[in-house]
mmCIF file of all heavy atoms in Angstrom:
data_model
loop_
_atom_site.group_PDB
_atom_site.id
_atom_site.type_symbol
_atom_site.label_atom_id
_atom_site.label_comp_id
_atom_site.label_asym_id
_atom_site.label_seq_id
_atom_site.Cartn_x
_atom_site.Cartn_y
_atom_site.Cartn_z
ATOM 1 N N ILE A 284 73.109 -104.401 3.213
ATOM 2 C CA ILE A 284 72.955 -105.776 3.701
ATOM 3 C C ILE A 284 74.284 -106.500 3.523
ATOM 4 O O ILE A 284 74.840 -106.538 2.417
ATOM 5 C CB ILE A 284 71.848 -106.511 2.935
ATOM 6 C CG1 ILE A 284 70.546 -105.696 2.972
ATOM 7 C CG2 ILE A 284 71.621 -107.898 3.527
ATOM 8 C CD1 ILE A 284 69.420 -106.302 2.141
ATOM 9 N N VAL A 285 74.795 -107.061 4.610
ATOM 10 C CA VAL A 285 76.107 -107.706 4.604
ATOM 11 C C VAL A 285 75.935 -109.220 4.669
ATOM 12 O O VAL A 285 75.337 -109.747 5.623
ATOM 13 C CB VAL A 285 76.961 -107.218 5.785
ATOM 14 C CG1 VAL A 285 78.339 -107.885 5.760
ATOM 15 C CG2 VAL A 285 77.105 -105.696 5.758
ATOM 16 N N ASP A 286 76.439 -109.912 3.668
ATOM 17 C CA ASP A 286 76.439 -111.375 3.643
ATOM 18 C C ASP A 286 77.699 -111.854 4.345
ATOM 19 O O ASP A 286 78.797 -111.784 3.792
ATOM 20 C CB ASP A 286 76.397 -111.867 2.195
ATOM 21 C CG ASP A 286 76.314 -113.385 2.103
ATOM 22 O OD1 ASP A 286 75.850 -114.009 3.075
ATOM 23 O OD2 ASP A 286 76.695 -113.944 1.058
ATOM 24 N N CYS A 287 77.550 -112.316 5.580
ATOM 25 C CA CYS A 287 78.711 -112.639 6.414
ATOM 26 C C CYS A 287 79.281 -114.017 6.088
ATOM 27 O O CYS A 287 78.548 -114.913 5.644
ATOM 28 C CB CYS A 287 78.320 -112.597 7.883
ATOM 29 S SG CYS A 287 77.865 -110.953 8.463
ATOM 30 N N PRO A 288 80.564 -114.213 6.360
ATOM 31 C CA PRO A 288 81.171 -115.529 6.157
ATOM 32 C C PRO A 288 80.757 -116.485 7.270
ATOM 33 O O PRO A 288 80.340 -116.051 8.353
ATOM 34 C CB PRO A 288 82.676 -115.230 6.221
ATOM 35 C CG PRO A 288 82.772 -114.027 7.109
ATOM 36 C CD PRO A 288 81.543 -113.207 6.820
ATOM 37 N N PRO A 289 80.854 -117.799 7.032
ATOM 38 C CA PRO A 289 80.579 -118.776 8.091
ATOM 39 C C PRO A 289 81.754 -118.828 9.060
ATOM 40 O O PRO A 289 82.574 -119.752 9.028
ATOM 41 C CB PRO A 289 80.402 -120.084 7.315
ATOM 42 C CG PRO A 289 81.228 -119.899 6.092
ATOM 43 C CD PRO A 289 81.155 -118.445 5.746
ATOM 44 N N SER A 290 81.847 -117.840 9.918
ATOM 45 C CA SER A 290 83.012 -117.688 10.780
ATOM 46 C C SER A 290 82.612 -116.998 12.074
ATOM 47 O O SER A 290 81.647 -116.225 12.107
ATOM 48 C CB SER A 290 84.085 -116.861 10.054
ATOM 49 O OG SER A 290 85.075 -116.413 10.955
ATOM 50 N N LEU A 291 83.363 -117.254 13.136
ATOM 51 C CA LEU A 291 83.158 -116.557 14.407
ATOM 52 C C LEU A 291 84.398 -115.751 14.777
ATOM 53 O O LEU A 291 84.633 -115.462 15.941
ATOM 54 C CB LEU A 291 82.830 -117.565 15.519
ATOM 55 C CG LEU A 291 81.495 -118.306 15.382
ATOM 56 C CD1 LEU A 291 81.328 -119.307 16.517
ATOM 57 C CD2 LEU A 291 80.332 -117.330 15.376
ATOM 58 N N GLY A 292 85.179 -115.368 13.768
ATOM 59 C CA GLY A 292 86.417 -114.659 14.024
ATOM 60 C C GLY A 292 86.237 -113.153 14.140
ATOM 61 O O GLY A 292 85.133 -112.641 14.367
ATOM 62 N N LEU A 293 87.335 -112.428 13.937
ATOM 63 C CA LEU A 293 87.319 -110.975 14.059
ATOM 64 C C LEU A 293 86.415 -110.327 13.019
ATOM 65 O O LEU A 293 85.816 -109.278 13.274
ATOM 66 C CB LEU A 293 88.752 -110.435 13.914
ATOM 67 C CG LEU A 293 89.756 -110.899 14.973
ATOM 68 C CD1 LEU A 293 91.138 -110.322 14.669
ATOM 69 C CD2 LEU A 293 89.302 -110.502 16.373
ATOM 70 N N SER A 294 86.297 -110.944 11.851
ATOM 71 C CA SER A 294 85.440 -110.374 10.813
ATOM 72 C C SER A 294 83.976 -110.375 11.262
ATOM 73 O O SER A 294 83.230 -109.436 10.969
ATOM 74 C CB SER A 294 85.594 -111.154 9.506
ATOM 75 O OG SER A 294 85.341 -112.527 9.704
ATOM 76 N N MET A 295 83.557 -111.407 11.995
ATOM 77 C CA MET A 295 82.192 -111.441 12.501
ATOM 78 C C MET A 295 81.985 -110.386 13.581
ATOM 79 O O MET A 295 80.918 -109.768 13.664
ATOM 80 C CB MET A 295 81.868 -112.836 13.042
ATOM 81 C CG MET A 295 80.404 -113.015 13.436
ATOM 82 S SD MET A 295 79.268 -112.754 12.056
ATOM 83 C CE MET A 295 78.009 -111.756 12.868
ATOM 84 N N ASP A 296 83.006 -110.157 14.399
ATOM 85 C CA ASP A 296 82.926 -109.067 15.379
ATOM 86 C C ASP A 296 82.704 -107.729 14.669
ATOM 87 O O ASP A 296 81.878 -106.916 15.094
ATOM 88 C CB ASP A 296 84.217 -108.987 16.204
ATOM 89 C CG ASP A 296 84.266 -110.007 17.335
ATOM 90 O OD1 ASP A 296 83.213 -110.602 17.631
ATOM 91 O OD2 ASP A 296 85.355 -110.202 17.911
#
Side-chain angles (χ1 to χ4, degrees):
I284 307 176
V285 181
D286 183 24
C287 294
S290 165
L291 294 178
L293 298 178
S294 55
M295 187 60 224
D296 279 347

